[in-house]
Amino acid sequence: MPETEASRVAGYAPPRHVAIIMDGNGRWAAARGLPRGEGHRRGVEALRRTVRAAGDLGIKYLTIFSFSAENWSRPASEIGELMGLLRRFIRNDLAELHRSNVRVRIIGERQGLEPDIARLLIEAEDLTKGNDGLILIVAFNYGARQEITRAARRISERVLAGALAVDDITMETVVDCLDAPDVPDPDLIIRTSGEQRLSNFLLWQAAYSELVFVPSYWPDFDRAALEAAIDEYRQRERRFGGLIAKTGS
Ligand code: FPP
């Protein structure tokens, strides 16, 4: 029987690709009378735990929503804190990620970023590009509608250059023009903090993803929470539009 996307996940223990909307840092801090920045700092600790756990659990791709294209509308002081955390995360954690055989990839708009941030992103990708362990995809300055718009521009350029006929544009052409064309769609998308929406995250890639919404705030997320979300994923039937029920376990 030829392998289909559905037969691939049937009997496959861990989801191949998990994507996470790390939400609730601010509310975590507010609930404790702490500044929002403290919530973000604790969010970075949760991220470290989660990257380790994902590797241990045999997940191949982990995508994290670290800064959305819409986050620029936050107060300048909070944006400054988030940029500072990213700088520190790359400076302090990159060597450890590299030692752990993690490959870092970045999706999102690079144009307009502060030059040192843009350089750090390139450094993280370059240093780890030969690693074949967990692939950590950091969605930074990322919005899915913006990503799809970028893809539309790239396709138009190919058409205008005479390299592509309009009738030859397929779904594969679109995928090929997304930010990480070779990365398979997420099997499981987790959002913390109880909010139940995608907020412009991976809209194209999420077409058949299972969504798991976790009530706790991101700074409290840990290995047990990841395992619980994966257990819930395994209960789901994934049919990919077909008729035969397939589960993720
Ligand atoms: C959502 O919490 C989280 C973010 C906007 C950013 C996520 C960032 C981190 C986990 C730390 C930074 C990590 C890197 C690698 C840069 P929120 O502020 O929206 O919380 P709220 O909805 O409770 O206000």
Side-chain angles (χ1 to χ4, degrees):
M1 194 176 79
E3 191 189 64
T4 62
E5 185 58 4
S7 67
R8 180 188 68 74
V9 292
Y12 188 80
R16 177 170 57 176
H17 182 176
V18 175
I20 307 186
I21 303 174
M22 310 180 290
D23 196 11
N25 295 348
R27 278 164 284 164
W28 182 93
R32 289 159 181 77
L34 297 169
R36 291 177 60 81
E38 188 55 26
H40 294 315
R41 274 187 288 284
R42 297 292 289 261
V44 175
E45 287 172 24
L47 175 58
R48 289 192 187 105
R49 289 196 292 272
T50 305
V51 170
R52 269 197 301 273
D56 292 348
L57 294 172
I59 291 162
K60 184 68 193 169
Y61 301 87
L62 176 68
T63 300
I64 52 154
F65 204 1
S66 74
F67 192 85
S68 82
E70 288 76 27
N71 284 153
W72 296 108
S73 64
R74 295 192 176 201
S77 56
E78 183 166 346
I79 292 173
E81 275 177 329
L82 285 167
M83 295 297 146
L85 282 176
L86 179 77
R87 286 187 181 95
R88 252 171 287 151
F89 180 69
I90 296 183
R91 288 195 190 119
N92 299 343
D93 292 52
L94 185 58
E96 171 61 25
L97 290 170
H98 186 41
R99 265 197 302 280
S100 308
N101 199 23
V102 172
R103 179 172 175 196
V104 178
R105 298 189 50 180
I106 316 287
I107 56 172
E109 178 58 77
R110 306 282 180 105
Q111 287 211 333
L113 294 179
E114 291 176 43
D116 74 307
I117 298 256
R119 270 197 306 276
L120 282 171
L121 299 181
I122 292 169
E123 184 189 327
E125 286 185 312
D126 281 353
L127 179 71
T128 62
K129 65 175 177 240
N131 294 344
D132 60 5
L134 175 77
I135 299 174
L136 174 64
I137 300 151
V138 180
F140 185 78
N141 194 20
Y142 176 84
R145 288 179 170 179
Q146 290 85 341
E147 180 186 31
I148 294 167
T149 306
R150 280 194 292 281
R153 288 208 190 103
R154 287 175 191 141
I155 293 169
S156 309
E157 280 160 11
R158 288 186 194 176
V159 171
L160 286 173
L164 179 66
V166 169
D167 285 346
D168 291 338
I169 297 172
T170 61
M171 288 191 281
E172 286 72 28
T173 319
V174 178
V175 170
D176 190 43
C177 292
L178 295 175
D179 289 353
D182 53 315
V183 172
D185 291 343
D187 301 294
L188 166 63
I189 297 181
I190 300 169
R191 181 172 188 151
T192 56
S193 92
E195 305 290 352
Q196 302 196 356
R197 55 179 173 269
L198 284 175
S199 298
N200 204 15
F201 185 50
L202 302 178
L203 296 182
W204 174 281
Q205 299 87 336
Y208 290 104
S209 303
E210 294 297 327
L211 310 182
V212 170
F213 299 105
V214 175
S216 54
Y217 296 140
W218 174 250
D220 290 328
F221 199 80
D222 58 10
R223 184 193 179 105
L226 179 61
E227 285 178 338
I230 292 172
D231 282 347
E232 189 172 335
Y233 161 85
R234 288 189 178 127
Q235 309 301 318
R236 305 276 177 90
E237 278 184 357
R238 303 192 74 197
R239 289 195 296 274
F240 297 96
L243 288 179
I244 308 161
K246 283 102 186 173
T247 59
S249 62

